[in-house]
C-alpha cells in the first residue's frame, strides 16, 4: 500500500548502462522530530539550548519530499505492485532513478531527525509527564487517520481495481475487518512509538551519553558500521517494505543515531557544515556504486536483482553477487546523505523565516493527510490523457494544497487538530 520500499525495476538497467539565536529551552518537540520549538522561558536549573533553525527547515524539507516520492510511484510501471494501480501515462527511467535515490535516504533521515528531536524533548525529563504526551500524540493520529482518513485512499484503490461499488459499504468493511494494509503510510508512527518505548531506559542515561559521545567523524563511522552490520546480517533472510524485518532494526539505529547526534549537536552540525562538500561528494559516489551494483545484479538475473533490492534472497534460494558489499554500501549511502543534509542545512538554512512557524505546525499534519490525497489524485489523473509530466505536477500541486486546506480546517476546529498531529499555536520566533 505504501511506497516505502522501491521494487527493483528493469528500467534502472537502461538508465545506468547506456541570528543571533535567543537561548531558550527546547521543549514540546513534536513526536516525529518537531524541530526545536520554544514555548516559554526555562525553569530554574533546566538545560538551556540555542535554537537551531536549520533543523526546523531540514525537517520541513524532508517531510515535503514525501509528496513527490509518493506521487512518482504512481507514474512508473512497477508502482502497480505497491498501489495496485498506476497512471495511464507513465514516465521514463529518470523518475525511477529519482525514486530509488530518495528511497535511499529519505526514511532514514526522518528517523534520524525524530531521534534528534527526542534528545531535546528529554531535556524536560523522561517521566510519564513527558513521554505520555509523546505516545498520545503518535497514537491518536495513527488511530484516527487509519479509521477516518486512510479509508478514502483505500477506496480509491478499490475503485480503480474494480473491487467495490459503494463508499458506505466499503467504509463499514474497513472498520469491521481490520487489516495491516489500512495503516498505509502511518506505519512510520508505529515504528516511532516502538522505538521510543524500547529506548526509554536509555534516555535515563542522557547526561552520561552527552559526556561519552565520540567526535563527529568517529560517531559517523560507528553509525555506519552498526547500520551495515544490521543490513548484512538481516536483509538476506526477509524482504522489507514498510519498516518491517531488517528495516525495523536499521531504522531503529537511525533513530538512536539521531539521539546521539543531538547529544553533541553543536559539534556535529559545525563539523557537517565544514565538511559539507566532502560529505555530499561521498554520498553521490556511494549512491552511484549502489545503483551500479543493483544494475549488475538485475542484468545477471531479474529475480535475483529484485531480491537484492528488497531482501530475502536466501529464503528464495538465490545468491546475488556482491550482496555483502551492496548491503554495506546501502547503509553507508543512507548515513552520508543524512549527514550531508545536516551540513547543507547548517550552511544555508540556519536562519529564521516568517513562514517557518506555520510550516513547523503544519508539517506533521501534512504527513498524516497527504497519502490518501495522493491515491485519490492519482485515480483522478488516470482518467485523463494529458502528458505524464503535466499530470505529475498537477497532482503535486493538488496534494500540497489539498493537504494544507484539510490541515487548516482541522486547525480551525480546535481540539480536532490533535487528531491529525496538530499542536496549539506557539509564540512566534524572535526576529
Amino acid at each position: 500500500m505504501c511506497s516505502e520500499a522501491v521494487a527493483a525495476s528493469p528500467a534502472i538497467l537502461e538508465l545506468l548502462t547506456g541570528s543571533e539565536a535567543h537561548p531558550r529551552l527546547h521543549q514540546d518537540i513534536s513526536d516525529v522530530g518537531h524541530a526545536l520549538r520554544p514555548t516559554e522561558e526555562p525553569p530554574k536549573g533546566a538545560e538551556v539550548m540555542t535554537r537551531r533553525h536549520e533543523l526546523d527547515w531540514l525537517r520541513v524539507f524532508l517531510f515535503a519530499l514525501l509528496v513527490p516520492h509518493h506521487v512518482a510511484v504512481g507514474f512508473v510501471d512497477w508502482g502497480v505492485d505497491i498501489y495496485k494501480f498506476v497512471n495511464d501515462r507513465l514516465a521514463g527511467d529518470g523518475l525511477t532513478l529519482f525514486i530509488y535515490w530518495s528511497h535511499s535516504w529519505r526514511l532514514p533521515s526522518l528517523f534520524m531527525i525524530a531521534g534528534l528531536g527526542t534528545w531535546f524533548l528529554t531535556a524536560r525529563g523522561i517521566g510519564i509527564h513527558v513521554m505520555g504526551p509523546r505516545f498520545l500524540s503518535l497514537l491518536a493520529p495513527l488511530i484516527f487517520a487509519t479509521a477516518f482518513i486512510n479509508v478514502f485512499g483505500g477506496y480509491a484503490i478499490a475503485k480503480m481495481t474494480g473491487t467495490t461499488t459503494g463508499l458506505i459499504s466499503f467504509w463499514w468493511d474497513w472498520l469491521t475487518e481490520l487489516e495491516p494494509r489500512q495503516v498505509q503510510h502511518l506505519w512510520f508512527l508505529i515504528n516511532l512509538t516502538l522505538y521510543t518505548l524500547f529506548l526509554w531506559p536509555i534516555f535515563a542515561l542522557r547526561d552520561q551519553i552527552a559526556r561519552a559521545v565520540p567526535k563527529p567523524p568517529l560517531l559517523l563511522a560507528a553509525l555506519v558500521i552498526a547500520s551495515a552490520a544490521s543490513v548484512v546480517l538481516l536483509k538476506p533472510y526477509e524482504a522489507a517494505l514498510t519498516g518491517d524485518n531488517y528495516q525495523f532494526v536499521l531504522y531503529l539505529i537511525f533513530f538512536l543515531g539521531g539521539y546521539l547526534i543531538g547529544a553533541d549537536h553543536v559539534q556535529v552540525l559545525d563539523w557537517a557544515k565544514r565538511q559539507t562538500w566532502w560529505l555530499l561528494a561521498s554520498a553521490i559516489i556511494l549512491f552511484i556504486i549502489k545503483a551500479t551494483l543493483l544494475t549488475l545484479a538485475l542484468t545477471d538475473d531479474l529475480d535475483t536483482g529484485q531480491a537484492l533490492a528488497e531482501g530475502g534472497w536466501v529464503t528464495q534460494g538465490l545468491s546475488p553477487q556482491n550482496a555483502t558489499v551492496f548491503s554495506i554500501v546501502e547503509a553507508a549511502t543512507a548515513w552520508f546523505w543524512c549527514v550531508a543534509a545536516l551540513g547543507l542545512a547548517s550552511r544555508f538554512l540556519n536562519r529564521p523565516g516568517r513562514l517557518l512557524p506555520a510550516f513547523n505546525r503544519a508539517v506533521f499534519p501534512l504527513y498524516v493527510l497527504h497519502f490518501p490525497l495522493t491515491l485519490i489524485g492519482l485515480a483522478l489523473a488516470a482518467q485523463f490523457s494529458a502528458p505524464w509530466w503535466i499530470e505529475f505536477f498537477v497532482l503535486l500541486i493538488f496534494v500540497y494544497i489539498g493537504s494544507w486546506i484539510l490541515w487548516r480546517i482541522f486547525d480551525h476546529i480546535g481540539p480536532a487538530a490533535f487528531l491529525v498531529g496538530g499542536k496549539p499555536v506557539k509564540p512566534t520566533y524572535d526576529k
Side-chain angles (χ1 to χ4, degrees), residues 52-375:
R52 302 300 301 235
H53 298 290
E54 67 265 56
L55 297 179
D56 288 320
W57 283 115
L58 180 58
R59 175 177 171 271
V60 169
F61 283 124
L62 289 175
F63 274 95
L65 184 60
L66 288 170
V67 176
H69 178 91
H70 284 148
V71 169
V73 172
F75 287 84
V76 294
D77 55 359
W78 50 265
V80 70
D81 297 327
I82 299 173
Y83 292 170
K84 308 304 181 186
F85 74 99
V86 291
N87 191 45
D88 59 324
R89 301 292 181 90
L90 300 178
D93 298 339
L95 200 60
T96 291
L97 189 62
F98 164 76
I99 296 171
Y100 193 58
W101 166 77
S102 64
H103 174 70
S104 295
W105 69 284
R106 177 182 50 84
L107 278 166
S109 67
L110 291 176
F111 283 108
M112 179 194 71
I113 286 292
L116 207 159
T118 302
W119 170 264
F120 295 108
L121 172 69
T122 54
R124 299 166 52 196
I126 63 166
I128 194 64
H129 67 288
V130 174
M131 306 308 290
R134 176 186 178 92
F135 289 124
L136 185 60
S137 62
L138 289 170
L139 295 177
L142 170 65
I143 296 171
F144 176 80
T146 297
F148 299 104
I149 296 177
N150 288 1
V151 62
F152 294 101
Y155 184 69
I157 293 175
K159 290 293 289 184
M160 292 299 294
T161 55
T163 57
T164 190
T165 54
L167 175 60
I168 300 302
S169 61
F170 178 84
W171 203 337
W172 175 254
D173 292 339
W174 185 273
L175 294 175
T176 58
E177 301 175 8
L178 300 179
E179 299 179 18
R181 65 180 178 86
Q182 296 170 343
V183 173
Q184 295 178 3
H185 62 304
L186 300 179
W187 65 264
F188 179 74
L189 302 184
I190 297 176
N191 283 39
L192 276 183
T193 301
L194 293 175
Y195 295 163
T196 303
L197 186 63
F198 293 160
L199 298 181
W200 196 347
I202 294 178
F203 301 156
L205 305 175
R206 192 175 188 277
D207 293 339
Q208 295 90 323
I209 290 173
R211 292 192 295 268
V213 65
K215 298 294 184 182
L218 293 178
L219 177 59
L220 176 59
L223 292 172
V224 169
I225 291 172
S227 300
S230 71
V231 180
V232 169
L233 295 174
L234 300 176
K235 187 175 182 180
Y237 300 97
E238 290 291 343
L241 179 64
T242 53
D244 53 353
N245 298 322
Y246 85 91
Q247 287 182 351
F248 185 85
V249 178
L250 179 63
Y251 295 157
L252 173 61
I253 295 172
F254 274 86
F255 181 81
L256 177 59
Y259 192 80
L260 297 177
I261 289 172
D264 194 25
H265 64 278
V266 174
Q267 295 301 322
V268 172
L269 291 174
D270 180 66
W271 177 78
K273 179 180 179 180
R274 288 184 282 107
Q275 304 295 332
T276 298
W277 306 121
W278 176 81
L279 289 166
L280 182 60
S282 299
I284 293 172
I285 292 171
L286 284 167
F287 176 71
I288 292 173
I289 295 172
K290 178 185 175 183
T292 301
L293 290 173
L294 180 59
T295 298
L296 294 174
L298 289 167
T299 303
D300 184 56
D301 180 73
L302 182 60
D303 291 338
T304 302
Q306 289 177 333
L308 181 64
E310 301 167 3
W313 55 84
V314 170
T315 55
Q316 299 179 50
L318 302 173
S319 300
Q321 293 185 354
N322 303 312
T324 299
V325 175
F326 181 85
S327 298
I328 294 172
V329 171
E330 178 179 344
T333 300
W335 270 115
F336 272 83
W337 277 104
C338 287
V339 180
L342 288 175
L344 289 168
S346 296
R347 184 175 289 268
F348 298 110
L349 298 175
N350 190 18
R351 59 180 62 88
R354 295 180 62 182
L355 296 177
L356 190 53
F359 285 163
N360 258 336
R361 291 190 65 241
V363 68
F364 187 20
L366 263 60
Y367 155 74
V368 172
L369 297 166
H370 85 280
F371 190 65
L373 285 175
T374 300
L375 295 174

